[in-house]
Amino acid sequence: MSLKGKDILSAFDFEREDLERLFKLADRLREEINDKGTLDYALGKVMVTAFFEPSTRTKLSFQFAMERLGGKVINFDVSTSSLLKGESDVDTMKIIDGYGPDVIVIRQKIPYFPHKVKDIVKAPIINAGDGPHEHPTQALLDVYTIWRELGEVDGLKVGIMGDLKYGRTPSSLSFMLTRFNNVRIYYIAPEVIQIRDEVLKEIKGKVNYMKVDKPEDVIEELDVLYITRLQKERFANPEEYERLKGVYKIDKKFLMKFKHIPIIMHPLPRVWELDPGVDELPQAKYFEQAKNGLYARAALIKEILGV
Ligand code: CP
């Protein structure tokens, strides 16, 4: 089965066979792009990036991916748009869709916004992050990175640490990991920012998981330590953010205490929770992870376009 013409709203929209096919395609496109620069699969196709929230990696890697596939990108710029005159974001999506793009990539701060507009927009939609809810293509590149680095996903122990309550990458990563066998997830965070019950409800019975307070309790068991930042912009109470800031930080000195150091991943941007001193360790994979986004997203765009 291909993903031609499909909306991607959730990490659950990918079956295991889709993921395995996309990972292999991403590797193939990586080689072709490294060899030829720009390809011609998407000649004549147009993608719109409609980002209503800030982004560096997701927007740029989608734009690069489409350009490398030979297609065109039109960027919707919120700061110069008629949203500033009071036009609604739903009307904005109808207008963008009316010009006939072949695919639209949406980032929104409102949870479920892509779900809300999917039936009023003809073009396939890719959810590039809807508030604290989900970020399915981040999970795609995260699991692609794990697959490349460790050779498999089945049977791995993955620690997901940080702001699990407001972060959207922990939920999508958890959903995607349910597609593999015998994976164990450790949610590492103080209770106030632990993983949301609604996420646990979705994964119950599909993957093993455990809540843990501190990374030192499990680090030597882990294959992957996936760190996330506190989502400052989603905290209603700035004092709570400041209090939690002191709770955890990973630096080289901390990691060197352990006999076994798992691969270190982070969706980025990082702020203070992952010290730049860690970058020099061979286990630090987060910049490679960000780069993998281009190839994983190129594979996804190619499949959705059916080219
Ligand atoms: N990881 C991620 O979504 O980064 P951006 O917010 O920069 O797109």
Side-chain angles (χ1 to χ4, degrees), residues 8 31 74 82 96 105 107 156 159 163 205-206 303:
I8 299 296
E31 279 179 26
I74 295 190
S82 289
I96 292 171
V105 184
R107 171 168 290 187
L156 294 182
D163 185 352
K206 298 176 188 157
E303 275 231 349

Side-chain angles (χ1 to χ4, degrees), residues 54-58 107 135 138 267-269:
S55 167
T56 296
R57 276 146 293 273
T58 311
R107 171 168 290 187
H135 194 350
Q138 178 68 45
L268 304 177

Side-chain angles (χ1 to χ4, degrees), residues 265-280:
M265 295 177 60
H266 193 306
L268 304 177
R270 65 175 157 191
V271 271
W272 43 263
E273 71 288 346
L274 176 59
D275 189 86
V278 176
D279 301 1
E280 65 196 50

Side-chain angles (χ1 to χ4, degrees), residues 78-88:
V78 169
S79 69
T80 55
S81 75
S82 289
L83 284 168
L84 304 184
K85 301 176 202 161
E87 187 164 35
S88 74

Side-chain angles (χ1 to χ4, degrees), residues 119-233:
D119 292 330
I120 53 172
V121 165
K122 284 201 200 81
I125 285 176
I126 302 176
N127 178 2
D130 57 331
H133 178 230
E134 271 218 63
H135 194 350
T137 66
Q138 178 68 45
L140 184 69
L141 72 96
D142 293 341
V143 182
Y144 174 52
T145 301
I146 294 171
W147 179 80
R148 275 179 64 82
E149 293 295 333
L150 302 175
E152 62 182 344
V153 184
D154 290 333
L156 294 182
K157 293 183 176 142
V158 180
I160 309 180
M161 172 174 161
D163 185 352
L164 312 179
K165 181 177 177 187
Y166 296 109
R168 55 191 163 209
T169 63
S171 47
S172 284
L173 177 57
S174 303
F175 297 161
M176 196 165 282
L177 288 173
T178 67
R179 299 304 196 211
F180 296 87
N181 300 321
N182 302 318
V183 172
R184 177 171 275 274
I185 302 174
Y186 294 90
Y187 293 114
I188 309 166
E191 193 52 42
V192 280
I193 47 169
Q194 258 296 354
I195 195 80
R196 301 187 297 274
D197 284 344
E198 76 205 37
V199 176
L200 296 181
K201 213 168 124 195
E202 295 277 5
I203 65 169
K204 202 169 177 194
K206 298 176 188 157
V207 68
N208 291 313
Y209 65 83
M210 198 177 158
K211 289 186 190 175
V212 188
D213 222 23
K214 299 189 193 81
E216 50 266 46
D217 296 342
V218 283
I219 199 159
E220 294 205 312
E221 287 184 45
L222 298 178
D223 299 292
V224 179
L225 177 60
Y226 185 98
I227 305 167
T228 63
R229 77 181 167 97
L230 287 193
Q231 306 280 307
K232 189 177 183 181
E233 65 276 28

